[in-house]
Amino acid sequence: MFRDTIPAWTVFNTPLGSCGLAWTHKGIDQVVAPGESADAVRTELTAACPDRAEIKRPPVPVLDVIVRLRRHMSGKTDTLIDIPLDLSRISPFGHKLAKALRRVPPGKVLTYGELARRIGRPGAARAVGRAMATNPLPLLVPCHRVLPAGGGLGGYSSGDGHTTKARLLHAEGNIFDQRLQDGLDHLSRVDRKLGRVIAKAGPYLPAFGDSDDPYDVLVTSLVHQQISVKAAATIAGRVRALSPGSAYPTPEELPGLPDETLRGAGLSHQKISYLRDLAAR
């Protein structure tokens, strides 16, 4: 299939953003998952494949892979298991992981420990995590389907990190957190327009704050509204300093803080009213 192709790399668009593929005579050997700009993908592939050049019109076998990846990320899932890979960049341990991971169907997930057991290495969950962090073939060796045993998304080294991981899982019909799934289902029921946005864009992941603490996420989001990230970080630090610990003033503490104190930390009158309303609820 790839035997007659000239080793090279290419960048292409998908429903989730710009992706990149590199290949040899044996098959695909480097993938950049969506989440970065096309220029960032080019930079990554240039560094990973310094002996190869970009081509705008890839050969037919690569075009076939691109078409299948686009369909997969649009929700028409594909196991992608028959696509030839060149695993020469990967250790023997990585070979075993790749073989086991490619058998995990779209929409299904497993933990690092479960993957370790599948390759006959129980107790090697950390080694599995390290190998997944350097996986050169995300999407085709689907490390986004591996989650921590304690819940949450865990790490993801390609694309836009855990945001890309969540969107890939969503495209495969899997929301990694039942609480998040329940919330998305509720929003989709009560607001059809928002439901269509959720179906297209995937789950919202808070960009700021402690994702395990909804109150922390909401306060951080309110502080960050309509100002630069740098200014917001400074103000957030001052607001946190109003509490004895390292966290924001609790809903119980906030009513006892005068407006003048909160204004002194850099909050506007409007944001103070929002925070007091949040605390009351």
Side-chain angles (χ1 to χ4, degrees):
M1 184 177 180
F2 282 80
R3 185 175 54 201
D4 298 326
T5 63
I6 298 173
W9 55 268
T10 194
V11 177
F12 58 98
N13 292 323
T14 76
L16 301 185
S18 296
C19 284
L21 291 177
W23 61 92
T24 68
H25 297 303
K26 296 180 181 179
I28 305 296
D29 73 331
Q30 188 80 28
V31 178
V32 180
E36 300 178 290
S37 68
D39 286 341
V41 173
R42 287 189 176 91
T43 298
E44 190 168 336
L45 286 171
T46 299
C49 310
D51 57 336
R52 285 173 257 175
E54 179 183 11
I55 61 173
K56 301 294 186 181
R57 294 188 176 184
V60 171
V62 178
L63 283 174
D64 177 65
V65 175
I66 291 172
V67 169
R68 291 175 66 181
L69 285 172
R70 283 173 172 158
R71 287 176 179 166
H72 179 78
M73 283 184 265
S74 71
K76 299 173 183 177
T77 56
D78 184 336
T79 64
L80 307 170
I81 196 171
D82 59 311
I83 293 174
L85 304 182
D86 180 347
L87 300 178
S88 58
R89 295 172 181 262
I90 302 176
S91 68
F93 180 73
H95 277 231
K96 292 181 180 179
L97 290 175
K99 186 176 180 180
L101 255 183
R102 297 191 86 189
R103 291 177 179 151
V104 179
K108 300 296 182 182
V109 295
L110 73 171
T111 66
Y112 294 101
E114 288 169 340
L115 182 55
R117 288 192 289 274
R118 288 195 182 191
I119 64 168
R121 293 283 300 275
R126 289 190 177 183
V128 169
R130 289 192 294 269
M132 292 297 93
T134 57
N135 174 22
L137 291 158
L139 306 179
L140 301 181
V141 176
C143 50
H144 61 278
R145 297 175 194 157
V146 187
L147 304 178
L153 272 172
Y156 194 67
S157 57
S158 192
D160 193 22
H162 70 288
T163 299
T164 294
K165 188 172 186 176
R167 296 188 74 190
L168 289 171
L169 288 170
H170 179 261
E172 296 177 356
N174 185 297
I175 301 296
F176 60 93
D177 185 308
Q178 189 58 50
R179 294 176 303 169
L180 179 58
Q181 180 68 72
D182 292 343
L184 293 174
D185 289 345
H186 172 73
L187 290 173
S188 298
R189 284 194 301 270
V190 300
D191 188 327
R192 291 183 179 180
K193 289 183 179 179
L194 185 57
R196 288 195 290 270
V197 172
I198 291 169
K200 182 177 181 180
Y204 164 74
L205 300 177
F208 305 108
D210 180 355
S211 60
D212 291 326
D213 183 351
Y215 177 74
D216 186 274
V217 170
L218 290 169
V219 173
T220 305
S221 298
L222 289 171
V223 171
H224 276 73
Q225 281 182 355
Q226 298 181 319
I227 57 177
S228 72
V229 173
K230 184 176 181 180
T234 299
I235 294 171
R238 292 173 183 166
V239 176
R240 289 180 187 275
L242 299 177
S243 181
S246 59
Y248 290 117
T250 66
E252 293 75 26
E253 293 170 341
L254 197 63
L257 295 173
D259 282 5
E260 294 76 14
T261 300
L262 295 171
R263 286 284 293 152
L267 294 171
S268 67
H269 288 297
Q270 193 69 54
K271 289 184 179 180
I272 291 171
S273 70
Y274 293 156
L275 290 174
R276 293 200 185 284
D277 182 65
L278 173 66
R281 293 172 187 275

